[in-house]
Amino acid sequence: MLPSFEEKSVWVQLISLLVVLGGYFLVSGFMLARGIVVLAPYIPLFIVSVVLLVIVLVVGHILAAVTGTPEKRDERDRLIGWRAESNSSWILAVGVFGALNAIAFSVAPVWIAHILLASLFASEAMKLSLQIVYYRRGV
């Protein structure tokens, strides 16, 4: 059975997120290792990453639409999305709690920003991965 447009869309989102934001974290990790602890130099890198992510997502979704017929989301798609979101949101909560603790201990803002961004990235990657598992398992 061929994957639905929704499943293809999830694959596009996951791969795009891992490649583009994975690249952001790789470059920013090198910057942090070099001792760049002010937030300003990371802003252009983040903006470029977001623009690149949007471009990759648009191209990926166009390819997904061309290789199949886009259909409306049905109840199964919504259930899969809700379940994946529910099972991955704890990652974001842990990251926010970690960032709040970092604030309490006067950690540099660059680290706090990256803790928040990393938890958002990990939560979204987990959600998309779980959606793929649920599509494959047949929820």
PDB file of all heavy atoms in Angstrom, residues 37-63:
ATOM      1  N   VAL A  37      29.814  33.277  23.160  1.00  0.00           N
ATOM      2  CA  VAL A  37      28.753  33.143  24.157  1.00  0.00           C
ATOM      3  C   VAL A  37      27.786  34.326  24.181  1.00  0.00           C
ATOM      4  O   VAL A  37      26.996  34.463  25.107  1.00  0.00           O
ATOM      5  CB  VAL A  37      29.343  32.922  25.574  1.00  0.00           C
ATOM      6  CG1 VAL A  37      30.009  31.567  25.661  1.00  0.00           C
ATOM      7  CG2 VAL A  37      30.278  34.036  25.950  1.00  0.00           C
ATOM      8  N   VAL A  38      27.828  35.167  23.153  1.00  0.00           N
ATOM      9  CA  VAL A  38      26.808  36.200  23.006  1.00  0.00           C
ATOM     10  C   VAL A  38      25.822  35.723  21.941  1.00  0.00           C
ATOM     11  O   VAL A  38      26.183  34.996  21.022  1.00  0.00           O
ATOM     12  CB  VAL A  38      27.410  37.572  22.634  1.00  0.00           C
ATOM     13  CG1 VAL A  38      28.217  38.141  23.781  1.00  0.00           C
ATOM     14  CG2 VAL A  38      28.244  37.478  21.398  1.00  0.00           C
ATOM     15  N   LEU A  39      24.598  36.138  22.068  1.00  0.00           N
ATOM     16  CA  LEU A  39      23.537  35.615  21.215  1.00  0.00           C
ATOM     17  C   LEU A  39      23.519  36.210  19.804  1.00  0.00           C
ATOM     18  O   LEU A  39      23.111  35.538  18.857  1.00  0.00           O
ATOM     19  CB  LEU A  39      22.193  35.868  21.903  1.00  0.00           C
ATOM     20  CG  LEU A  39      21.027  34.980  21.538  1.00  0.00           C
ATOM     21  CD1 LEU A  39      21.387  33.512  21.590  1.00  0.00           C
ATOM     22  CD2 LEU A  39      19.856  35.279  22.437  1.00  0.00           C
ATOM     23  N   ALA A  40      23.981  37.421  19.638  1.00  0.00           N
ATOM     24  CA  ALA A  40      23.879  38.127  18.356  1.00  0.00           C
ATOM     25  C   ALA A  40      24.472  37.372  17.158  1.00  0.00           C
ATOM     26  O   ALA A  40      23.844  37.350  16.090  1.00  0.00           O
ATOM     27  CB  ALA A  40      24.496  39.513  18.472  1.00  0.00           C
ATOM     28  N   PRO A  41      25.645  36.732  17.254  1.00  0.00           N
ATOM     29  CA  PRO A  41      26.183  36.031  16.078  1.00  0.00           C
ATOM     30  C   PRO A  41      25.346  34.828  15.624  1.00  0.00           C
ATOM     31  O   PRO A  41      25.481  34.373  14.494  1.00  0.00           O
ATOM     32  CB  PRO A  41      27.563  35.557  16.535  1.00  0.00           C
ATOM     33  CG  PRO A  41      27.919  36.422  17.681  1.00  0.00           C
ATOM     34  CD  PRO A  41      26.630  36.781  18.335  1.00  0.00           C
ATOM     35  N   TYR A  42      24.480  34.334  16.481  1.00  0.00           N
ATOM     36  CA  TYR A  42      23.660  33.178  16.131  1.00  0.00           C
ATOM     37  C   TYR A  42      22.398  33.573  15.365  1.00  0.00           C
ATOM     38  O   TYR A  42      21.795  32.734  14.707  1.00  0.00           O
ATOM     39  CB  TYR A  42      23.262  32.410  17.403  1.00  0.00           C
ATOM     40  CG  TYR A  42      24.447  31.808  18.101  1.00  0.00           C
ATOM     41  CD1 TYR A  42      25.140  32.512  19.085  1.00  0.00           C
ATOM     42  CD2 TYR A  42      24.887  30.536  17.769  1.00  0.00           C
ATOM     43  CE1 TYR A  42      26.232  31.967  19.717  1.00  0.00           C
ATOM     44  CE2 TYR A  42      25.983  29.979  18.401  1.00  0.00           C
ATOM     45  CZ  TYR A  42      26.654  30.692  19.374  1.00  0.00           C
ATOM     46  OH  TYR A  42      27.744  30.151  19.991  1.00  0.00           O
ATOM     47  N   ILE A  43      22.015  34.839  15.446  1.00  0.00           N
ATOM     48  CA  ILE A  43      20.770  35.277  14.829  1.00  0.00           C
ATOM     49  C   ILE A  43      20.790  35.123  13.307  1.00  0.00           C
ATOM     50  O   ILE A  43      19.852  34.561  12.737  1.00  0.00           O
ATOM     51  CB  ILE A  43      20.414  36.710  15.277  1.00  0.00           C
ATOM     52  CG1 ILE A  43      20.105  36.700  16.783  1.00  0.00           C
ATOM     53  CG2 ILE A  43      19.238  37.270  14.481  1.00  0.00           C
ATOM     54  CD1 ILE A  43      19.946  38.060  17.408  1.00  0.00           C
ATOM     55  N   PRO A  44      21.841  35.576  12.600  1.00  0.00           N
ATOM     56  CA  PRO A  44      21.836  35.366  11.142  1.00  0.00           C
ATOM     57  C   PRO A  44      21.823  33.887  10.759  1.00  0.00           C
ATOM     58  O   PRO A  44      21.144  33.495   9.804  1.00  0.00           O
ATOM     59  CB  PRO A  44      23.138  36.031  10.674  1.00  0.00           C
ATOM     60  CG  PRO A  44      23.513  36.963  11.759  1.00  0.00           C
ATOM     61  CD  PRO A  44      22.983  36.389  13.029  1.00  0.00           C
ATOM     62  N   LEU A  45      22.529  33.072  11.519  1.00  0.00           N
ATOM     63  CA  LEU A  45      22.537  31.634  11.262  1.00  0.00           C
ATOM     64  C   LEU A  45      21.142  31.045  11.430  1.00  0.00           C
ATOM     65  O   LEU A  45      20.684  30.243  10.619  1.00  0.00           O
ATOM     66  CB  LEU A  45      23.532  30.941  12.204  1.00  0.00           C
ATOM     67  CG  LEU A  45      23.592  29.422  12.159  1.00  0.00           C
ATOM     68  CD1 LEU A  45      24.045  28.940  10.793  1.00  0.00           C
ATOM     69  CD2 LEU A  45      24.513  28.900  13.259  1.00  0.00           C
ATOM     70  N   PHE A  46      20.436  31.490  12.457  1.00  0.00           N
ATOM     71  CA  PHE A  46      19.080  31.005  12.702  1.00  0.00           C
ATOM     72  C   PHE A  46      18.130  31.464  11.600  1.00  0.00           C
ATOM     73  O   PHE A  46      17.310  30.677  11.123  1.00  0.00           O
ATOM     74  CB  PHE A  46      18.584  31.475  14.074  1.00  0.00           C
ATOM     75  CG  PHE A  46      17.227  30.957  14.416  1.00  0.00           C
ATOM     76  CD1 PHE A  46      17.045  29.623  14.728  1.00  0.00           C
ATOM     77  CD2 PHE A  46      16.132  31.801  14.407  1.00  0.00           C
ATOM     78  CE1 PHE A  46      15.780  29.130  15.029  1.00  0.00           C
ATOM     79  CE2 PHE A  46      14.863  31.321  14.708  1.00  0.00           C
ATOM     80  CZ  PHE A  46      14.693  29.983  15.024  1.00  0.00           C
ATOM     81  N   ILE A  47      18.249  32.710  11.184  1.00  0.00           N
ATOM     82  CA  ILE A  47      17.382  33.230  10.120  1.00  0.00           C
ATOM     83  C   ILE A  47      17.609  32.460   8.823  1.00  0.00           C
ATOM     84  O   ILE A  47      16.648  32.055   8.149  1.00  0.00           O
ATOM     85  CB  ILE A  47      17.601  34.749   9.925  1.00  0.00           C
ATOM     86  CG1 ILE A  47      17.056  35.502  11.139  1.00  0.00           C
ATOM     87  CG2 ILE A  47      16.943  35.241   8.641  1.00  0.00           C
ATOM     88  CD1 ILE A  47      17.420  36.972  11.173  1.00  0.00           C
ATOM     89  N   VAL A  48      18.858  32.232   8.473  1.00  0.00           N
ATOM     90  CA  VAL A  48      19.163  31.465   7.265  1.00  0.00           C
ATOM     91  C   VAL A  48      18.601  30.047   7.382  1.00  0.00           C
ATOM     92  O   VAL A  48      18.035  29.502   6.425  1.00  0.00           O
ATOM     93  CB  VAL A  48      20.691  31.442   7.008  1.00  0.00           C
ATOM     94  CG1 VAL A  48      21.061  30.418   5.954  1.00  0.00           C
ATOM     95  CG2 VAL A  48      21.174  32.827   6.605  1.00  0.00           C
ATOM     96  N   SER A  49      18.718  29.456   8.552  1.00  0.00           N
ATOM     97  CA  SER A  49      18.194  28.101   8.760  1.00  0.00           C
ATOM     98  C   SER A  49      16.683  28.049   8.595  1.00  0.00           C
ATOM     99  O   SER A  49      16.150  27.129   7.969  1.00  0.00           O
ATOM    100  CB  SER A  49      18.579  27.586  10.152  1.00  0.00           C
ATOM    101  OG  SER A  49      19.971  27.484  10.278  1.00  0.00           O
ATOM    102  N   VAL A  50      15.985  29.034   9.135  1.00  0.00           N
ATOM    103  CA  VAL A  50      14.522  29.055   9.025  1.00  0.00           C
ATOM    104  C   VAL A  50      14.098  29.256   7.574  1.00  0.00           C
ATOM    105  O   VAL A  50      13.193  28.566   7.080  1.00  0.00           O
ATOM    106  CB  VAL A  50      13.922  30.141   9.945  1.00  0.00           C
ATOM    107  CG1 VAL A  50      12.451  30.358   9.645  1.00  0.00           C
ATOM    108  CG2 VAL A  50      14.125  29.772  11.402  1.00  0.00           C
ATOM    109  N   VAL A  51      14.748  30.171   6.868  1.00  0.00           N
ATOM    110  CA  VAL A  51      14.419  30.399   5.454  1.00  0.00           C
ATOM    111  C   VAL A  51      14.704  29.139   4.642  1.00  0.00           C
ATOM    112  O   VAL A  51      13.883  28.724   3.812  1.00  0.00           O
ATOM    113  CB  VAL A  51      15.189  31.625   4.901  1.00  0.00           C
ATOM    114  CG1 VAL A  51      15.067  31.725   3.390  1.00  0.00           C
ATOM    115  CG2 VAL A  51      14.701  32.907   5.565  1.00  0.00           C
ATOM    116  N   LEU A  52      15.841  28.508   4.890  1.00  0.00           N
ATOM    117  CA  LEU A  52      16.183  27.273   4.184  1.00  0.00           C
ATOM    118  C   LEU A  52      15.179  26.168   4.510  1.00  0.00           C
ATOM    119  O   LEU A  52      14.768  25.411   3.618  1.00  0.00           O
ATOM    120  CB  LEU A  52      17.605  26.836   4.553  1.00  0.00           C
ATOM    121  CG  LEU A  52      18.141  25.609   3.842  1.00  0.00           C
ATOM    122  CD1 LEU A  52      18.157  25.829   2.330  1.00  0.00           C
ATOM    123  CD2 LEU A  52      19.544  25.287   4.342  1.00  0.00           C
ATOM    124  N   LEU A  53      14.759  26.089   5.758  1.00  0.00           N
ATOM    125  CA  LEU A  53      13.768  25.086   6.150  1.00  0.00           C
ATOM    126  C   LEU A  53      12.456  25.295   5.394  1.00  0.00           C
ATOM    127  O   LEU A  53      11.861  24.333   4.893  1.00  0.00           O
ATOM    128  CB  LEU A  53      13.537  25.130   7.662  1.00  0.00           C
ATOM    129  CG  LEU A  53      12.544  24.124   8.230  1.00  0.00           C
ATOM    130  CD1 LEU A  53      13.005  22.695   7.977  1.00  0.00           C
ATOM    131  CD2 LEU A  53      12.343  24.372   9.718  1.00  0.00           C
ATOM    132  N   VAL A  54      12.019  26.524   5.289  1.00  0.00           N
ATOM    133  CA  VAL A  54      10.778  26.820   4.560  1.00  0.00           C
ATOM    134  C   VAL A  54      10.918  26.424   3.089  1.00  0.00           C
ATOM    135  O   VAL A  54      10.017  25.791   2.514  1.00  0.00           O
ATOM    136  CB  VAL A  54      10.399  28.313   4.701  1.00  0.00           C
ATOM    137  CG1 VAL A  54       9.278  28.690   3.743  1.00  0.00           C
ATOM    138  CG2 VAL A  54      10.017  28.628   6.136  1.00  0.00           C
ATOM    139  N   ILE A  55      12.044  26.751   2.480  1.00  0.00           N
ATOM    140  CA  ILE A  55      12.261  26.409   1.072  1.00  0.00           C
ATOM    141  C   ILE A  55      12.249  24.899   0.877  1.00  0.00           C
ATOM    142  O   ILE A  55      11.591  24.372  -0.032  1.00  0.00           O
ATOM    143  CB  ILE A  55      13.571  27.033   0.555  1.00  0.00           C
ATOM    144  CG1 ILE A  55      13.439  28.552   0.478  1.00  0.00           C
ATOM    145  CG2 ILE A  55      13.965  26.459  -0.810  1.00  0.00           C
ATOM    146  CD1 ILE A  55      14.755  29.288   0.255  1.00  0.00           C
ATOM    147  N   VAL A  56      12.963  24.185   1.734  1.00  0.00           N
ATOM    148  CA  VAL A  56      13.029  22.723   1.624  1.00  0.00           C
ATOM    149  C   VAL A  56      11.650  22.105   1.841  1.00  0.00           C
ATOM    150  O   VAL A  56      11.255  21.170   1.138  1.00  0.00           O
ATOM    151  CB  VAL A  56      14.070  22.150   2.614  1.00  0.00           C
ATOM    152  CG1 VAL A  56      14.011  20.637   2.679  1.00  0.00           C
ATOM    153  CG2 VAL A  56      15.471  22.603   2.230  1.00  0.00           C
ATOM    154  N   LEU A  57      10.892  22.633   2.797  1.00  0.00           N
ATOM    155  CA  LEU A  57       9.551  22.114   3.047  1.00  0.00           C
ATOM    156  C   LEU A  57       8.624  22.349   1.857  1.00  0.00           C
ATOM    157  O   LEU A  57       7.847  21.464   1.477  1.00  0.00           O
ATOM    158  CB  LEU A  57       8.958  22.755   4.301  1.00  0.00           C
ATOM    159  CG  LEU A  57       9.485  22.243   5.631  1.00  0.00           C
ATOM    160  CD1 LEU A  57       9.000  23.116   6.774  1.00  0.00           C
ATOM    161  CD2 LEU A  57       9.111  20.800   5.850  1.00  0.00           C
ATOM    162  N   VAL A  58       8.697  23.527   1.249  1.00  0.00           N
ATOM    163  CA  VAL A  58       7.849  23.824   0.096  1.00  0.00           C
ATOM    164  C   VAL A  58       8.188  22.889  -1.061  1.00  0.00           C
ATOM    165  O   VAL A  58       7.301  22.270  -1.671  1.00  0.00           O
ATOM    166  CB  VAL A  58       7.979  25.307  -0.327  1.00  0.00           C
ATOM    167  CG1 VAL A  58       7.351  25.551  -1.688  1.00  0.00           C
ATOM    168  CG2 VAL A  58       7.356  26.211   0.727  1.00  0.00           C
ATOM    169  N   VAL A  59       9.471  22.740  -1.357  1.00  0.00           N
ATOM    170  CA  VAL A  59       9.888  21.858  -2.454  1.00  0.00           C
ATOM    171  C   VAL A  59       9.494  20.414  -2.151  1.00  0.00           C
ATOM    172  O   VAL A  59       8.970  19.697  -3.022  1.00  0.00           O
ATOM    173  CB  VAL A  59      11.411  21.982  -2.703  1.00  0.00           C
ATOM    174  CG1 VAL A  59      11.904  20.909  -3.660  1.00  0.00           C
ATOM    175  CG2 VAL A  59      11.747  23.370  -3.237  1.00  0.00           C
ATOM    176  N   GLY A  60       9.701  19.981  -0.921  1.00  0.00           N
ATOM    177  CA  GLY A  60       9.341  18.616  -0.539  1.00  0.00           C
ATOM    178  C   GLY A  60       7.856  18.351  -0.649  1.00  0.00           C
ATOM    179  O   GLY A  60       7.433  17.283  -1.115  1.00  0.00           O
ATOM    180  N   HIS A  61       7.042  19.316  -0.244  1.00  0.00           N
ATOM    181  CA  HIS A  61       5.601  19.121  -0.342  1.00  0.00           C
ATOM    182  C   HIS A  61       5.108  19.176  -1.789  1.00  0.00           C
ATOM    183  O   HIS A  61       4.144  18.490  -2.136  1.00  0.00           O
ATOM    184  CB  HIS A  61       4.857  20.140   0.527  1.00  0.00           C
ATOM    185  CG  HIS A  61       4.832  19.742   1.959  1.00  0.00           C
ATOM    186  ND1 HIS A  61       5.762  20.188   2.862  1.00  0.00           N
ATOM    187  CD2 HIS A  61       4.016  18.910   2.646  1.00  0.00           C
ATOM    188  CE1 HIS A  61       5.503  19.668   4.037  1.00  0.00           C
ATOM    189  NE2 HIS A  61       4.449  18.878   3.935  1.00  0.00           N
ATOM    190  N   ILE A  62       5.763  19.968  -2.608  1.00  0.00           N
ATOM    191  CA  ILE A  62       5.416  19.967  -4.036  1.00  0.00           C
ATOM    192  C   ILE A  62       5.713  18.592  -4.626  1.00  0.00           C
ATOM    193  O   ILE A  62       4.893  18.028  -5.358  1.00  0.00           O
ATOM    194  CB  ILE A  62       6.174  21.081  -4.786  1.00  0.00           C
ATOM    195  CG1 ILE A  62       5.602  22.447  -4.411  1.00  0.00           C
ATOM    196  CG2 ILE A  62       6.105  20.864  -6.298  1.00  0.00           C
ATOM    197  CD1 ILE A  62       6.415  23.626  -4.925  1.00  0.00           C
ATOM    198  N   LEU A  63       6.872  18.028  -4.294  1.00  0.00           N
ATOM    199  CA  LEU A  63       7.211  16.687  -4.785  1.00  0.00           C
ATOM    200  C   LEU A  63       6.234  15.637  -4.260  1.00  0.00           C
ATOM    201  O   LEU A  63       5.844  14.724  -4.994  1.00  0.00           O
ATOM    202  CB  LEU A  63       8.639  16.321  -4.389  1.00  0.00           C
ATOM    203  CG  LEU A  63       9.751  17.094  -5.097  1.00  0.00           C
ATOM    204  CD1 LEU A  63      11.108  16.749  -4.510  1.00  0.00           C
ATOM    205  CD2 LEU A  63       9.720  16.811  -6.591  1.00  0.00           C
TER     206      LEU A  63
END
